[in-house]
Each structure stands twice: as structure tokens, then as C-alpha cells.
DNA sequence: TATGCGTGGAC
DNA sequence: TGTCCAAGCAT
């Protein structure tokens, strides 16, 4: 199935910015951060702005962290902006401003986990490593395991399952990205396009007649409306949109409920996304 | 290992 | 509508 996926990808893969020739390892790192839980379509414009403004780790490291949080805009999970800034600082200090190509070195960077470390090593540097993301887990669950959904992540087992599928090192990066792309475009969570799938002939899930998933039910997503997360977002939006630090009263206006507002502000201060500049004056980090 | 962490589009 | 989902990570 390896060659079928590679052939399918060569024809059907999207021309995304991070797949263009000459895209830098720094661009790869930035794009992977932005793509953590944020859809491709929303990432693309922010990524292009970001790389124009900060084309190297050194450029970002020289800017205040708060500028990174502002440029992150509405991508969500703004701690990623803070972590990415911290990555830039570390890369300048420890790696002469060059994104490391080694999985362990990448893993040591803040906000870089198993997926992102291998994605950068493979996509930017051509490493022969398994990349495991939610798309790949779903493809393996269906094609190899014959079940509708992957179970809860088992990092070691998931990685071994993908490692066993890897073809020879010269083409394994293309295979990695091909499986991801297949999961993103064809073997999707909802309404998979099985008729268009290049590996349908060997798909265990198809052979079994598309049985429903029998495993443990996923924890239901908590309601966002009225949650602390929403309050955090509302407070941070005020700070992002303000040219400089704001008085507490501006934050009070961002959310009516004082208790939730207090929890959210405390959390933001704890995370370093907001700093107390002086009494009752709050700003983004410098 | 389960949970918290943003935001917005699709159905 | 509400619910699910989107190239995860840290704790």
C-alpha cells in the first residue's frame, strides 16, 4: 500500500505553503505549531504574515513575546505563541539560530511534543522516522486494524505501527505526508470518501463491512459557551486589540461574571500570557 | 491517563 | 439549534 499512497499523494496532494520548494525549517516549525489543533485554512494567512515579519528564529527572538501573542491573532490556544517565541530564544542561544534537525533536540523545545518533533525532522530534514498524528492514527485504525476509529493514543504502540509501515528511507518522508494527507482528504473522521481511496482494496475496515467503533467512548467535549476558556479568550482579545497595557476596568468590561473573570485572569497571569505591569494595569508579556 | 487549553466552520 | 471536529501539548 506504500506505493499506492505515494502515487495518490503525488497527484492529489494539496499545494500548501509549507510544501513549496525552499520552505525553511523555521517555516516548518512555525507551521507545525500553528497547525496544532487549528485547521489549515485558518493557518495559511497568519503563517504568511508571521514569516514575512519574522523570517528567522533570530528575528522572532529579538521581538517581545507579546508581539508574538498579538500576531497569533485568533488562531486559538495562544500559549503556542508564547512557546514558539521561547523556541526561537532557545534556538538562537543553543543552536546558533538554526532549527535543530535531531528529534531529541526538537523534543526538548517548549511546546514541541512527539508529533511536532518528528514532523519537523521528517518534513524539513527528510528524517526516516514515523510521524503520528490524528489523521495517521485514523488511517491505521481503519486500514490495518479494521476499526472505525483509533482508540485513545498509545504513543509507543502508535509509533511502532507507523514505523512498520515505513518504506525505504528515500521515500519514507513522502509516505508519511501521504498518509496524513489521505486522512485529511479521504479517510476523514466524518463521511470518509472510500470510493476515492487508493488503498480501499486492502482496507480491513472496508473488508469487515464498516463496523461501528466498539471501543471506549471519547470524553464529550465540554461546553465552550460560558466556560473559563471563553473568558480567557475574551480577556486576551482585549489585550491583543489594545495598543498598550490596559486598566483593569477594560478587562472588567470584557466579561460580566466577576468570578469567572477572576479565574480566567489568574490563569492567564499564571501562564505568562498576561503580566501585571503596575497596580491594576495589565499587558502582554515583553 | 484525563483534563484543560481557543476558535470557528460544517452539518 | 447543538455537536463534532481540526497536522497536540503539558501537567
Amino acid at each position: 500500500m506504500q506505493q499506492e499512497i505515494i502515487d495518490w499523494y503525488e497527484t492529489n496532494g494539496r499545494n500548501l505553503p509549507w510544501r513549496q520548494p525552499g520552505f525553511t525549517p523555521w517555516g516548518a516549525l512555525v507551521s507545525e505549531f500553528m497547525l496544532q489543533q487549528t485547521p489549515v485554512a485558518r493557518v495559511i494567512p497568519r503563517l504568511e504574515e508571521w514569516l514575512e515579519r519574522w523570517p528567522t528564529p533570530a528575528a522572532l527572538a529579538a521581538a517581545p513575546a507579546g508581539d508574538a501573542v498579538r500576531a497569533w491573532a485568533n488562531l486559538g490556544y495562544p500559549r503556542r505563541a508564547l512557546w514558539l517565541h521561547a523556541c526561537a530564544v532557545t534556538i538562537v542561544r543553543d543552536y546558533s539560530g538554526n532549527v535543530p534537525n535531531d528529534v531529541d533536540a526538537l523534543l526538548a523545545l517548549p511546546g514541541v511534543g512527539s508529533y511536532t518533533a518528528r514532523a519537523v525532522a521528517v518534513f524539513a530534514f527528510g528524517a526516516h522516522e514515523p510521524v503520528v498524528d490524528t489523521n495517521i492514527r485514523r488511517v491505521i485504525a481503519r486500514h490495518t486494524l479494521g476499526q472505525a476509529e483509533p482508540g485513545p493514543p498509545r504513543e509507543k504502540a502508535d509509533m511502532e505501527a507507523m514505523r512498520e509501515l515505513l518504506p525505504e528511507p528515500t521515500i519514507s518522508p513522502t509516505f508519511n505526508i501521504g498518509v496524513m494527507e489521505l486522512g485529511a482528504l479521504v479517510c476523514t473522521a466524518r463521511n470518509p470518501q472510500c470510493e476515492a481511496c487508493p488503498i480501499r482494496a486492502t482496507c480491513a475496515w472496508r473488508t469487515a463491512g464498516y463496523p461501528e467503533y466498539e471501543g471506549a467512548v471519547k470524553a464529550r467535549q465540554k461546553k465552550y459557551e460560558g466556560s473559563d476558556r471563553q473568558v480567557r479568550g475574551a480577556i486576551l482579545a482585549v489585550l491583543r486589540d489594545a495598543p498598550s497595557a490596559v486598566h483593569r476596568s477594560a478587562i472588567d468590561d470584557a466579561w460580566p461574571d466577576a468570578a469567572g473573570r477572576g479565574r480566567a485572569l489568574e490563569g492567564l497571569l499564571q501562564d505568562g500570557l498576561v503580566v501585571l505591569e503596575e497596580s491594576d494595569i495589565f499587558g502582554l508579556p515583553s
Side-chain angles (χ1 to χ4, degrees), chain A residues 9 12 44 70 88 139-140 164 180 189 217 226 232 265 276 283:
Chain A
Y9 174 74
N12 299 284
I44 289 173
R70 270 205 185 82
V139 172
I140 291 175
E164 291 204 358
M180 277 181 70
V217 277
R232 285 171 58 106
L265 182 55
L276 180 62

Side-chain angles (χ1 to χ4, degrees), chain A residues 87-136:
Chain A
C87 280
V89 171
T90 298
I91 289 168
V92 168
R93 190 193 62 203
D94 294 347
Y95 301 102
S96 308
N98 300 310
V99 175
N101 62 4
D102 174 74
V103 170
D104 289 329
L106 287 160
L107 276 174
L109 297 172
V112 175
S114 178
Y115 165 74
T116 302
R118 289 178 177 77
V120 171
V122 171
F123 303 149
F125 297 110
H128 183 65
E129 284 282 336
V131 176
V132 176
D133 78 324
T134 185
N135 290 303
I136 287 178

Side-chain angles (χ1 to χ4, degrees), chain A residues 148 205 210-215:
Chain A
W205 187 45
Y210 302 118
E212 284 188 37
Y213 182 58
E214 301 280 355

